[in-house]
């Protein structure tokens, strides 16, 4: 049954002056400052956990909600939550995705949602529970209850036969002209980034009956020495970013951000070729974006202007190593720093950019706590400091969550992400709506705070802090439940994890390389 939630979670904004952010200001408005209205994105029943990963220009949001011990893909719009497992295709089309688990990572302006969901595959001697990339498309004819009543759901499969070693795939990005990117297992036991473009409106075809999606393009790698790659985002011209493993200057394994600009193979002015083959799967179109001076980097998002943002290792003048948010443009990677007094110290990562070049992500502050940030006009700011929350009585209100990660920003400047509920370790999604206010209204010492200021949101001790990289095998090591009801944690496979291989890879990266063994059902 479809679950919805329409309780108003917006704090009352008293005497706020709102103007169009893109409209000319009058003389009286010239001193207004930008602040953000906070809307909490709860699960359909008002409880549980949630995360918001992406927002389109219509304000539709994709992410997930916790339904008891299960995680379901979710859609938010106009303060209505839709559990996507309640829509027709997730609920009824069991041959596609018959397990009660999915995550949504991206949404296009036309409302197409991509992510990953668990399903059972039947093989000659046994069956497996695997995780496959999906595309959920809104129906042409909708009703007033939901934007996804009789919609199309596609299983994008993997880069090989799932009954061999090609078990899993994840879709992490979708453009407004129907490119889908992510990563998928191959039959040789490693993962590669992929891109899918539809043919005649279809995103899956298996004409030769080999259990492989004929429309899924293997994007290859930067070098032949290390075969692992992943695609994270794609823009409306088809440019792709992500990471690919390579060998660093010290001879050890490293991963680097890359950019693929598709080649126009038929001279019609549109890029349509994402792979130009080299030796052992090396893609000649895949450009290494380098690092900030450290070992690793990762392209997290790309704007329509081809500007890439993400995270990269860097070395301070004192020889300390950190991972920092970066922006790459015009062949140059620039460090965005952190929220600390000394911006060189601590960790940060950028995950969203709009076409105005405004960037969001997370960064550590002076207390080494993770906080959501916005980077605009050359300045990184803590989004917690930019909230404008006023009660009915006219007092400043302490929000019930601390914003720990901003994940995406649309072209209207609306931001989504998640934070930690104060006094707990519960994660809750949020939406930040930009408004312009008179700075005189911000000068008040009267605060109505009925919630605790304590929150488990730092870089240590937080379940969701640390080195999580969504859309990689390491992030899919969640607990599965087989048909016997026994809970089984999927272990890493040993195909790439021999002693000689591990010795070349930093331990913190091992989870990204060691592939999961699927849950077997007999």
């Amino acid at each position: 049954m479809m679950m919805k939630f329409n309780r108003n979670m917006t704090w009352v904004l008293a005497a706020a002056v709102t103007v169009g952010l893109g409209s000319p200001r009058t003389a009286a408005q010239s001193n207004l400052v930008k602040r953000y209205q906070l809307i909490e994105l709860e699960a359909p029943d008002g409880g549980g956990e949630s995360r918001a990963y992406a927002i389109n220009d219509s304000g539709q949001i994709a992410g997930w909600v916790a339904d008891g011990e299960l995680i379901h893909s979710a859609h938010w719009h106009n303060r209505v939550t839709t559990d996507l497992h309640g829509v027709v295709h997730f609920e009824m089309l069991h041959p596609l995705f018959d397990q009660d688990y999915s995550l949504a990572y991206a949404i296009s302006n036309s409302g197409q949602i991509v992510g990953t969901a668990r399903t059972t595959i039947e093989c000659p001697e046994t069956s497996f529970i695997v995780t496959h990339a999906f595309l959920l498309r809104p129906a042409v004819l909708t009703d007033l209850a939901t934007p996804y009543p009789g919609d199309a759901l596609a299983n994008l499969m993997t880069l090989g036969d799932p009954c061999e070693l090609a078990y899993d795939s994840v879709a992490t990005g979708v453009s407004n002209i129907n490119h889908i990117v992510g990563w998928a297992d191959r039959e040789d036991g490693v993962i590669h980034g992929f891109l899918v473009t539809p043919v005649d409106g279809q995103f899956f075809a298996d004409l030769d009956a080999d259990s492989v999606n004929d429309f899924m393009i293997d994007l290859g790698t930067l070098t032949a020495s290390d075969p692992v790659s992943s695609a994270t985002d794609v823009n409306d011209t088809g440019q792709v970013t992500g990471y690919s493993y390579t060998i660093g200057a010290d001879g050890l394994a490293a991963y680097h951000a890359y950019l693929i600009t598709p080649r126009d193979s038929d001279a019609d002015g549109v890029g349509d070729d994402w792979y130009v083959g080299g030796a052992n799967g090396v893609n000649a179109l895949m450009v290494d974006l380098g690092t900030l001076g450290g070992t690793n980097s990762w392209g997290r998002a790309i704007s329509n202007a081809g500007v890439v943002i993400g995270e990269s290792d860097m070395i301070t003048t004192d020889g300390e190593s950190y991972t920092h948010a970066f922006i790459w443009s015009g062949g140059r990677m620039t460090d965005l720093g952190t929220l600390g007094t000394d911006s060189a110290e601590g960790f940060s990562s950028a995950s969203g950019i709009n076409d105005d070049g405004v960037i969001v992500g997370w960064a550590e502050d002076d207390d080494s706590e993770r906080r959501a940030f916005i980077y605009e006009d050359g300045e990184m700011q803590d989004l917690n400091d930019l909230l404008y929350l006023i009660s009915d009585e006219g007092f400043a209100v302490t929000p019930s969550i601390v914003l720990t990660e901003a994940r995406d920003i649309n072209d209207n400047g609306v931001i989504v992400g998640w934070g930690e509920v104060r006094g707990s370790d519960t994660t809750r999604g949020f939406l930040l709506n930009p408004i312009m206010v008179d700075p005189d209204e911000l000068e008040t010492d009267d605060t109505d705070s009925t919630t605790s200021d304590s929150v488990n949101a730092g870089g240590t001790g937080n379940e969701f802090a640390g080195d999580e990289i969504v859309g990689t095998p390491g992030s899919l090591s969640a607990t599965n439940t087989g048909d016997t009801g026994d809970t089984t944690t999927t272990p890493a496979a040993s195909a790439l994890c021999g002693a000689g291989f591990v010795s070349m890879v930093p331990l913190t990266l091992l989870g990204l390389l060691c592939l999961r063994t699927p849950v077997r059902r007999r």
Side-chain angles (χ1 to χ4, degrees), residues 138-224:
V140 176
L141 298 177
T142 63
D143 58 34
L144 298 179
T146 172
Y148 298 94
D151 40 338
L153 179 65
N155 184 339
L156 301 181
M157 299 295 286
T158 68
L159 288 167
D161 185 347
C163 288
E164 302 297 331
L165 290 176
Y167 303 126
D168 300 316
S169 62
V170 174
T172 56
V174 57
S175 76
N176 295 316
I177 54 175
N178 298 329
H179 308 103
I180 299 173
V181 297
W183 65 260
D185 286 338
R186 307 193 322 168
E187 290 183 1
D188 57 3
V190 298
I191 68 169
H192 272 194
F194 74 77
L195 181 139
V196 172
T197 57
V199 176
D200 296 328
Q202 300 299 311
F203 290 81
F204 175 84
D206 185 11
L207 301 180
D208 51 4
D210 61 353
S211 300
V212 179
N213 187 353
D214 297 337
F215 299 152
M216 183 175 282
I217 301 168
D218 187 335
L219 295 177
T221 59
L222 282 171
T223 64

Side-chain angles (χ1 to χ4, degrees), residues 53-57 59-62 107 408-410 414-416 431:
Y53 279 92
I55 182 169
N56 65 16
D57 290 340
Q60 298 178 347
I61 303 165
I107 184 170
D408 196 17
I409 180 170
N410 69 11
V414 183
I415 301 168
V416 296
L431 176 149

